[in-house]
Amino acid sequence: MALRFNITKKNGFQKKIVSPENSDLKFLSFSYCYANKKRIIEEFTENEEWLWVLISGRITIYTSSGLSETGTRKNAFEEDPVSFYISPKTYYTIELAPKTEVIVVSTVAEGNFMPVFIPPNLVKKTKSGKSNYQRSVVDILPQEFPASKIIAGETIHNVGNWSCFPPHKHDRDNMPWESKQEELYFCKCQPEKTGFGVIRIYDDNQDTTFPILTNDLITIPSGYHPVGLIPEHKLYYFWALAGEKREFQRCTHPDYLQYE
């Protein structure tokens, strides 16, 4: 069953605060870091791949393979993402400037890959949907990116709009019509104080509805999952998927095929 977590914005690196050990996910783990002053983090990926996504502030990374890059971002609503893909068996150091916020997803990985810096000019930006369910989508790790399991990106709602409409799911290994991947969303509202959205996660075996507030994380192990937003507000969410196979195909609910 889907779960909702609120991620506390506190100083420090909260490593794997959501993971297969404490949630309904089988692959994805979620970590969160906020630095109220300059902070240095040293890590080793072991048998996992990690994706670091800068929400706001300034971040620099150094890896054992020689990668050394710096990125900045004003905030998630106004600028495109700055991200780092860190491959398995990599030692790396992260330097965070004061007032920097970063989110991280990870999963056990297979294969030989290299760390990659993904600046804003290398992400793929598209408009999805139409009418009052049009939204802006940014692909950070698209399906063709050289990685083991993670597919990830960001979505920003137009004011008051819906997304993940028409309702779709991806919880059966039935290619070429549907792939099997779990998913998570990390959300922010603007204005933060009054903003909220709603997500319904449902299929023949479940029907769960959650409010969406800033810094909420929603797990979606299965089911359709449309998202709505109140008027006069914006909604941002980072999304990540993972499964046994990396090929991705969503399946639209048969009652809503005319809205594709």
Side-chain angles (χ1 to χ4, degrees), residues 20-139:
E21 283 68 42
N22 67 358
S23 75
D24 50 356
L25 300 175
K26 294 182 179 179
F27 298 95
L28 289 166
S29 293
F30 179 88
S31 304
Y32 177 88
C33 187
Y34 179 75
N36 59 11
K37 60 181 180 180
K38 183 178 178 180
R39 187 176 187 90
I40 297 176
I41 300 170
E42 296 181 345
E43 289 286 326
F44 177 57
T45 56
E46 297 182 350
N47 65 335
E48 296 182 324
E49 59 185 4
W50 287 64
L51 175 67
W52 289 70
V53 179
L54 179 63
I55 299 297
S56 61
R58 184 175 185 268
I59 185 173
T60 301
I61 188 168
Y62 309 92
T63 75
S64 54
S65 64
L67 179 69
S68 176
E69 296 287 353
T70 297
T72 62
R73 190 181 194 184
K74 186 176 180 181
N75 62 59
F77 289 95
E78 296 182 60
E79 294 184 348
D80 292 327
V82 170
S83 309
F84 297 89
Y85 170 79
I86 313 297
S87 52
K89 297 179 175 60
T90 300
Y91 290 94
Y92 65 104
T93 300
I94 298 280
E95 292 185 0
L96 305 175
K99 297 183 179 179
T100 292
E101 184 179 18
V102 190
I103 57 175
V104 198
V105 288
S106 56
T107 187
V108 172
E110 300 171 352
N112 296 316
F113 302 98
M114 293 295 294
V116 179
F117 172 54
I118 310 166
N121 64 309
L122 291 185
V123 298
K124 179 183 177 182
K125 297 188 290 184
T126 58
K127 293 286 187 181
S128 183
K130 56 189 177 182
S131 183
N132 66 336
Y133 54 99
Q134 187 176 78
R135 61 274 192 191
S136 301
V137 179
V138 176
D139 289 318

